[in-house]
Amino acid sequence: MPSGSASAGGSTSSAAPTGDSGTGSGTPTPTATGSGDSGETGGGNGTQYADCEADGLTTAVELQDERGQTPRHFLLTVTNKAKTSCVLNDAPQVRLKAGNDAPIVRTLGEPDSEPVVVEGGGKAYAGLYVFGNDEGGEAEYDQSDRFTATLVAGEGTELSGTLIFDLPDGLDTVSVDDAARVNGWAGTEGLAMRPITQL
């Protein structure tokens, strides 16, 4: 099983001293424009920053379930490799199976319409639930060995690249079904995972 499987990720977040509260204290992530003139760039996302591009982000996945439980809850983390801030919009379009023909995981509720600004070197998070079937027996379920996530660009522009999230160490595949849900991008682990852990 992956290390730190039950925690919300103690080993990553170097830029979020605010913990899980998502309250804006400490060193807040820059928000969508506070000035009257939005100075939109990079696809009309409502901020002065360009949209994040897939090749400018690194990815990580952390299992959120206890050892011995069916792997269902995952924290997806992206890190901005650049020195300048970029923007993530809405929720990632996650697929649990290979290929662009695979179905897109439904978003849990309405994604936050406020873009998430990821500082240079900073992180953003999305919560993912992959399997809801509790029936036992000999049934065989679909399996996935990785997740992919297509980034949504700012309003009026095209999608902007696909990320690959390899499963955490210790997991070769996980069971997936149509109960899967993803929570939109958030600036803290707690905001990303809290609604997902209720599933």
Side-chain angles (χ1 to χ4, degrees), residues 46-88:
T47 81
Q48 62 182 307
Y49 306 108
D51 289 337
C52 296
E53 297 183 6
D55 60 4
L57 301 171
T58 59
T59 61
V61 182
E62 187 175 351
L63 178 65
Q64 299 293 290
D65 298 301
E66 298 281 357
R67 183 182 297 274
Q69 294 182 337
T70 300
R72 300 173 191 268
H73 304 86
F74 294 87
L75 177 70
L76 308 182
T77 302
V78 294
T79 302
N80 181 4
K81 295 188 292 185
K83 294 181 180 179
T84 56
S85 298
C86 67
V87 171
L88 294 169

Side-chain angles (χ1 to χ4, degrees), residues 33 37 69 97 144:
T33 56
D37 179 8
Q69 294 182 337
K97 301 173 193 173
S144 178

Side-chain angles (χ1 to χ4, degrees), residues 28-191:
T29 303
T31 57
T33 56
S35 61
D37 179 8
S38 67
E40 292 182 2
T41 64
N45 58 40
T47 81
Q48 62 182 307
Y49 306 108
D51 289 337
C52 296
E53 297 183 6
D55 60 4
L57 301 171
T58 59
T59 61
V61 182
E62 187 175 351
L63 178 65
Q64 299 293 290
D65 298 301
E66 298 281 357
R67 183 182 297 274
Q69 294 182 337
T70 300
R72 300 173 191 268
H73 304 86
F74 294 87
L75 177 70
L76 308 182
T77 302
V78 294
T79 302
N80 181 4
K81 295 188 292 185
K83 294 181 180 179
T84 56
S85 298
C86 67
V87 171
L88 294 169
N89 304 284
D90 299 325
Q93 294 192 353
V94 174
R95 290 179 170 88
L96 304 179
K97 301 173 193 173
N100 291 334
D101 293 335
I104 295 172
V105 173
R106 291 173 57 187
T107 302
L108 182 63
E110 289 296 320
D112 192 342
S113 59
E114 195 74 16
V116 174
V117 178
V118 189
E119 293 179 307
K123 300 177 187 294
Y125 310 92
L128 179 64
Y129 177 76
V130 299
F131 185 66
N133 197 322
D134 285 317
E135 295 179 10
E138 300 300 319
E140 293 186 7
Y141 304 108
D142 289 335
Q143 299 290 309
S144 178
D145 63 356
R146 67 184 59 190
F147 312 134
T148 64
T150 302
L151 299 177
V152 177
E155 183 178 356
T157 63
E158 300 298 323
L159 303 178
S160 61
T162 299
L163 301 165
I164 296 175
F165 291 87
D166 293 320
L167 295 181
D169 291 341
L171 286 179
D172 294 325
T173 63
V174 294
S175 296
V176 298
D177 64 14
D178 59 8
R181 295 292 184 272
V182 62
N183 193 33
W185 295 116
T188 69
E189 298 170 2
L191 289 175

